[in-house]
Amino acid sequence: SQQGEEDPQALSIQEGENATMNCSYKTSINNLQWYRQNSGRGLVHLILIRSNEREKHSGRLRVTLDTSKKSSSLLITASRAADTASYFCAFTGGGNKLTFGTGTQLKVEL
Amino acid sequence: DTAVSQTPKYLVTQMGNDKSIKCEQNLGHDTMYWYKQDSKKFLKIMFSYNNKELIINETVPNRFSPKSPDKAHLNLHINSLELGDSAVYFCASSQLFDRSEKLFFGSGTQLSVL
């Protein structure tokens, strides 16, 4: 399967802690994106990192990309209860076909 | 204003029936998609249309037929529904070759086949 693998599958932390989730893939990629999905809702784009970039920041989000290991990580700092959601990595190898990872379910408890 | 809207939000039907899901985007994008999310939350692309032309057609049973009357609309018709078709179907849109390359998703249609 060309689908990305994410770990952990589920993560439960306390508010204020950092959350890290990882994504691994098998193909060459043009870019890698991260999306958030709140329960019962559609996916929302968070951040994109290109294959020639190693790290990118957006607010409390930090994404890294290691193309030699075919992996990426998403770090959410100072987590909030509102960050509770499923997080998906997604990547394009060519063309406009976006392939999604298996997702990490994050629960941030008060 | 909703950017990508799909209807209905919930669809409960009997096996063997034919049903349609509609999708509209007001973002001016030229590309639209259908994704299927199963009970384990795996998301898989089904179809993609660019300016009303089919550009991605994954291995999907031919009971599924997408139709794009114009670049702002992409509908999904499903014939002879089966239990295994139960899932959440998401419509999405993007601007092909746009530097942001991000997809905008609708809120999903939860299909339950009884």
Side-chain angles (χ1 to χ4, degrees):
Chain A
S1 168
Q2 298 301 309
Q3 192 163 25
E5 298 284 333
E6 290 186 56
D7 81 277
Q9 286 188 345
L11 179 60
S12 184
I13 59 174
Q14 297 293 312
E15 201 171 45
E17 293 180 338
N18 296 342
T20 300
M21 48 207 91
N22 305 294
C23 170
S24 60
Y25 54 91
K26 294 179 182 177
T27 63
S28 296
I29 62 169
N30 292 336
N31 68 61
L32 189 139
Q33 305 178 39
W34 286 89
Y35 286 78
R36 183 187 73 227
Q37 183 181 29
N38 289 89
S39 181
R41 306 295 295 273
L43 283 79
V44 175
H45 180 268
L46 295 175
I47 193 167
L48 177 149
I49 187 166
R50 299 196 181 279
S51 59
N52 61 353
E53 297 175 313
R54 291 295 166 258
E55 189 171 313
K56 202 159 184 181
H57 297 254
S58 176
R60 293 185 296 112
L61 305 180
R62 174 180 166 245
V63 170
T64 61
L65 179 64
D66 186 335
T67 52
S68 67
K69 294 182 179 177
K70 290 186 164 55
S71 68
S72 173
S73 67
L74 172 67
L75 168 68
I76 304 174
T77 59
S79 63
R80 305 166 182 169
D83 295 329
T84 294
S86 293
Y87 292 82
F88 294 87
C89 66
F91 47 88
T92 55
N96 68 326
K97 180 179 167 183
L98 197 61
T99 300
F100 281 83
T102 49
T104 294
Q105 291 191 47
L106 173 65
K107 184 174 182 182
V108 181
E109 301 189 74
L110 294 169
Chain B
D1 286 342
T2 304
V4 182
S5 59
Q6 51 183 110
T7 55
K9 187 163 176 63
Y10 300 98
L11 188 51
V12 181
T13 188
Q14 298 289 324
M15 258 194 326
N17 284 351
D18 303 339
K19 289 293 178 186
S20 292
I21 308 172
K22 295 186 176 183
C23 180
E24 176 181 2
Q25 55 95 3
N26 63 4
L27 297 166
H29 289 161
D30 60 5
T31 306
M32 296 183 73
Y33 312 78
W34 279 111
Y35 278 83
K36 178 180 179 180
Q37 186 174 45
D38 65 20
S39 58
K40 294 183 180 178
K41 291 205 167 185
F42 292 159
L43 265 164
K44 193 168 182 186
I45 190 167
M46 300 172 68
F47 303 102
S48 175
Y49 272 74
N50 173 253
N51 284 320
K52 304 193 298 176
E53 289 200 27
L54 184 65
I55 57 172
I56 293 175
N57 185 358
E58 291 294 286
T59 308
V60 177
N62 57 16
R63 299 181 294 103
F64 290 79
S65 53
K67 283 193 171 50
S68 182
D70 56 61
K71 70 176 189 177
H73 295 83
L74 180 61
N75 304 322
L76 183 65
H77 189 75
I78 315 170
N79 289 328
S80 304
L81 278 155
E82 300 177 357
L83 293 176
D85 297 333
S86 295
V88 182
Y89 292 84
F90 286 98
C91 177
S93 73
S94 72
Q95 185 65 21
L96 198 63
F97 305 125
D98 183 78
R99 183 158 175 79
S100 72
E101 297 185 55
K102 63 183 181 182
L103 267 61
F104 291 78
F105 282 82
S107 56
T109 294
Q110 186 163 337
L111 172 64
S112 299
V113 183
L114 306 176

